[in-house]
Structures are given as structure tokens and as C-alpha cells.
Amino acid sequence: MLRCRSLIHRHVGRQAQKSSPKPPLVTYKVAMGSYSSVQFCGIPQGKGPHTVGCTDLMSDHTIQGSFLRLFYPCVDGEEYEEAVWIPKREYYLGLADTLKLNRTIVDFIFSYYFGSVKCPAKMNAPFKPGDKYPLVIFSHGLGAFRTLYSAICIGLASQGIVVAAVEHRDESASATFYLRERSSADSCENDVDCEALEEVWLYNKSPKPGADEFPLRFEQVQKRADECLQALDLMLDINAGKPVTNALSSNFDWSLLKDSIDDQKAAVAGHSFGAATAIKALGRDSRFRCGVALDAWMYSLRDEIFSTIHQPVLFVNSEKFQWVDNVLLMKKMDSTRVERKMITIKGSVHQSFPDFTFLTGYLIGKIFKLKGEIDPYVGMDLIINVTLAFLQRHLGLQKDFNQWDPLIEGEGEFVIPGTNLDLPPRHTQASK
């Protein structure tokens, strides 16, 4: 029984709120060469003052290297195209496996509906130097991958935050890949277009039927935390001016990041299994000054981890996903010495955090439970704004994000302090 699917599971599809204007409807040209008749609003633009760029980095072609998509303030320029949202069809196959659906059918449907969807970030646009930006390492949920939280990452980057969205290689992603040298049997001596390295794909691993799920998830969260720390090391090395080896073909100039990241202002965040990963990473590395756990799935964490975490943590929960035992694990992190906060977004569901909620209409959203009762654009604004307020408070940012401080306290039309669930009496007070 998986409680953290970051893809097409669990949620009620209905719009309810009217307080946030939506971008115009878009008709996307699909990969098969015709135009999809399906219209949807699309992944939202960032609302901050910065144009957002993104680029992919594979620091080593082997499975030991870091693999991430970086979102960052960029130099504006019309010559840079927006990034493809799902960059390779193998991700569709991984989504099919994760959902236990037929690969051919899912490949067709996803290619048709999402094959040419782009996110509002300019691929490989030059980094915008001249400031010291805070850094957030972001961890995706089970069955997701590095691009499926583009709305959150773009929203933060538009406000002047560098976000490194890690793609995990612990077999918790729906799909990911690394590169290996071609064997002699596969050599391409007579093919001038042949690449020396070939892709090796890894797909989501599930426990065997009837087996205890905990050992697998416990092992994965260790690996995931390692990858977050590795990404932090990599980004700080880049900031220090160390040369970058990228196994992926790219003309991005990494030297522009030198001295552009504030190494004293790093945080870690994630959704679902990624939120548990963020908590695990906090306990492993004090360079992370605070953490944001979005609709955390706490299953993989043992109790002893909680006593090792000394940084502030914000829990942002959906109304429909959480259950009492899971919230009680979050409450074990309550502290009188350091700020621990929990809020719940009314009308939200687990899929209010990834991007699919923006890319389906009412009917599909209802069938696949991708939408909650809250308008997805209103929900995303709340997620981004409360995160920004918490980062300003605990990273010492000199911004105006404190305008959203009431959200941290659960004050506002669409938020409540603590949880909507009925907890045992001694746990009923919201996290302080």
C-alpha cells in the first residue's frame, strides 16, 4: 500500500476557488505531428522579478554521479526556448510501470496529451550573476523524477532562489538513467553519428507481493539523502569555481555561477517520499539551515532520526492525503528550542504539489484524482509563498517574503494551523 505516489493517484477533481486569475488556455502541438484538441492552462509562470532558466547536469556518466535539473534566475532572451516538460519517452514507460498500466497505452496517451508540453523556464539560458542567491535542494516523490515539480521550482527561482531538483537513482523514480560505454559488440566504428556512451534506464522498484515494504523504503531514503548531500557538495563546488564535467550535451556556461550562491543559506525541501528524504538530509548535514516537508510520507523514517535534527522544519500538508499515524510521526519533531510548524491547505490533495494538476481538465483530473477542491493555481501560490516566508525567516533573507508570514501560522482563507485530523488529546495543539 503506497502512500506517496507522486504521480497519477488519489485526488478529487473539482475547481472551487475564484481568487486567482488563470493564464490563457493553450493548445499544444503533440509529438505525433497533429494538434491535440485538449486545452488546459499549463504550468504557471513564476511570479517573482526574475526570468527563470533551467539546465540539466549529470556530473558523472556513471550511476555514482549527481543527476539534477537546475532552476535559476537567468538572463532574458527570446532566442532561448522553454524546456520540454518530460524530456524522454522512457519516462512515460516508467510512469506506466509505476501505475501498473499497459506501457503501450500510457505511452500513446502521454505522448498525445503531454508530448509537447513545455514549462516556463528557458532551457540553457545564461545564469544571471551579480547577486548571492540562496540554494534549495529539492527531492521528488516516489514514482516521480526531476521535472515533475517544475511549478514549485520555477516559482522559487523567479524570486531569486537557485533550486537543484535531484533525480534519484535508488529505483524510487518512475524512470531515470545513467550512461555507460558501449561494449565492443555494440561498437559503432562505421557510424559517424554513434555516441561513445549509451543510456541505461532504471525503473521504479516495488516490494514483492506480500513482502514487508519498510526495508526497501528505509534503504532508499538513505540513498536519497546521500544524493541530496552530493548535490549540495556539487553546487558549492561550482560556486567555488571548480570545473564542471557534464556527461550530457549542453552549452550552458557553469562558470557564471562562481561566487553567486550564498553557501550559508542552503535549505532542503521535498514532496512525499522526498519530504522524508529532506528530513533525513537535515539530520545528516547541518549546512542545511532549514527544511520544508510538503505532504510528507514519513514511513521510511525511524524514530531515532528525529533527535538528530536541530534545524527549523515546516510541514505543509494536504487536506485529503494525511492520516493520524503519519501526522503523529511529524509531531514527534515538535520542539521548544527550534521552530517546527505545520499547516494544512484546505481542499488540497497529494497531487496538488506536482505539475500534473495543471495539465488535465476536470474529467481526467477527476478520474485520475489529480485535482483537489481548491483551484490548483491558488494552491500552488500558497505552497510557494509559505515556503518563501519560511526560507526568509530561517535563512536571513532580505526580501519581502515576510508578507506571507501569516501562512506559517495557518492564518488565511485556505489554510489552517496544524492538521485537519482528530489527533489524540495531547497532540491536538498545532506545532509551535
Side-chain angles (χ1 to χ4, degrees):
M1 181 175 58
L2 299 184
R3 294 193 177 271
C4 59
R5 289 262 163 88
S6 296
L7 301 170
I8 307 180
H9 277 219
R10 299 184 167 95
H11 308 297
V12 183
R14 193 175 76 212
Q15 285 188 337
Q17 314 302 340
K18 301 180 180 179
S19 61
S20 178
K22 301 188 180 96
L25 293 176
V26 178
T27 302
Y28 287 98
K29 188 174 182 180
V30 296
M32 64 189 70
S34 63
Y35 282 87
S36 169
S37 62
V38 176
Q39 291 184 315
F40 41 79
C41 296
I43 298 170
Q45 299 270 354
K47 294 188 174 181
H50 299 281
T51 302
V52 177
C54 70
T55 191
D56 290 327
L57 174 59
M58 189 181 291
S59 65
D60 183 332
H61 72 271
T62 71
I63 197 172
Q64 283 75 37
S66 285
F67 189 18
L68 58 86
R69 173 162 286 190
L70 193 72
F71 296 85
Y72 54 88
C74 75
V75 175
D76 201 1
E78 294 183 0
E79 67 271 29
Y80 297 97
E81 296 185 356
E82 291 186 335
V84 175
W85 180 51
I86 298 182
K88 292 178 180 287
R89 68 179 293 270
E90 285 84 358
Y91 289 108
Y92 301 150
L93 307 182
L95 291 174
D97 293 349
T98 301
L99 300 170
K100 296 179 171 54
L101 299 174
N102 181 276
R103 276 188 166 194
T104 301
I105 293 174
V106 170
D107 183 25
F108 176 82
I109 293 174
F110 276 44
S111 294
Y112 185 80
Y113 286 112
F114 306 125
S116 292
V117 171
K118 295 187 176 181
C119 62
K122 296 180 181 294
M123 194 70 190
N124 293 325
F127 184 86
K128 182 180 179 181
D131 201 353
K132 282 277 194 179
Y133 300 107
L135 173 67
V136 170
I137 305 297
F138 190 90
S139 173
H140 64 71
L142 180 65
F145 42 90
R146 71 188 187 283
T147 70
L148 291 191
Y149 297 86
S150 292
I152 293 174
C153 296
I154 289 169
L156 296 177
S158 75
Q159 298 285 0
I161 294 172
V162 174
V163 184
V166 176
E167 186 159 293
H168 291 293
R169 285 152 153 186
D170 61 326
E171 296 181 285
S172 68
S174 64
T176 188
F177 69 99
Y178 62 96
L179 303 174
R180 71 180 175 195
E181 296 181 2
R182 292 182 182 274
S183 65
S184 57
D186 297 327
S187 63
C188 44
E189 296 175 358
N190 299 322
D191 186 352
V192 295
D193 295 324
C194 182
E195 298 288 342
L197 300 175
E198 62 181 352
E199 295 175 357
V200 180
W201 283 85
L202 303 172
Y203 294 99
N204 182 270
K205 181 179 181 180
S206 298
K208 295 180 180 179
D212 183 6
E213 185 178 3
F214 182 80
L216 172 62
R217 302 310 178 202
F218 182 75
E219 179 183 357
Q220 287 176 326
V221 82
Q222 316 303 314
K223 172 67 172 172
R224 285 167 142 262
D226 287 343
E227 290 173 328
C228 287
L229 270 57
Q230 187 177 15
L232 176 62
D233 289 337
L234 176 62
M235 292 308 303
L236 295 184
D237 283 347
I238 292 170
N239 183 61
K242 295 184 179 180
V244 181
T245 299
N246 192 354
L248 304 176
S249 177
S250 172
N251 60 359
F252 183 74
D253 186 358
W254 289 94
S255 68
L256 292 175
L257 274 75
K258 183 180 180 182
D259 297 326
S260 291
I261 294 174
D262 191 329
D263 59 7
Q264 299 301 309
K265 296 179 179 178
V268 62
H271 172 244
S272 194
F273 199 16
T277 304
I279 292 169
K280 184 72 176 179
L282 284 172
R284 296 267 298 277
D285 201 321
S286 62
R287 291 177 298 174
F288 291 122
R289 298 279 300 278
C290 64
V292 179
L294 304 175
D295 223 13
W297 182 50
M298 304 288 286
Y299 177 74
S300 61
L301 301 178
R302 293 187 185 274
D303 287 355
E304 56 264 26
I305 182 65
F306 303 134
S307 64
T308 69
I309 300 167
H310 307 292
Q311 303 97 313
V313 179
L314 171 67
F315 291 96
V316 182
N317 293 343
S318 69
E319 183 177 11
K320 303 298 184 181
F321 173 74
Q322 292 297 334
W323 64 104
V324 170
D325 287 347
N326 200 53
V327 172
L328 290 178
L329 286 175
M330 300 178 198
K331 297 290 289 180
K332 287 187 176 183
M333 294 180 62
D334 283 356
S335 173
T336 57
R337 297 179 294 102
V338 63
E339 186 170 55
R340 302 282 162 77
K341 289 291 186 180
M342 181 190 300
I343 67 166
T344 298
I345 299 177
K346 294 187 288 187
S348 63
V349 293
H350 203 48
Q351 299 303 327
S352 296
F353 298 82
D355 298 330
F356 272 108
T357 190
F358 304 109
L359 301 176
T360 52
Y362 171 78
L363 181 60
I364 297 297
K366 186 180 180 75
I367 292 172
F368 289 105
K369 300 178 180 179
L370 295 170
K371 294 180 183 288
E373 295 177 356
I374 192 170
D375 181 302
Y377 294 89
V378 172
M380 184 54 60
D381 282 348
L382 293 170
I383 293 163
I384 293 170
N385 292 345
V386 73
T387 298
L388 289 168
F390 198 75
L391 293 178
Q392 171 154 327
R393 181 178 291 185
H394 296 290
L395 297 183
L397 307 183
Q398 301 301 311
K399 303 286 187 178
D400 63 351
F401 306 154
N402 56 347
Q403 65 181 296
W404 297 303
D405 276 356
L407 293 176
I408 299 175
E409 309 302 326
E411 298 173 4
E413 182 179 0
F414 303 108
V415 294
I416 60 174
T419 179
N420 58 304
L421 301 174
D422 292 327
L423 302 182
R426 67 189 183 90
H427 295 286
T428 53
Q429 187 178 7
S431 297
K432 297 298 183 183

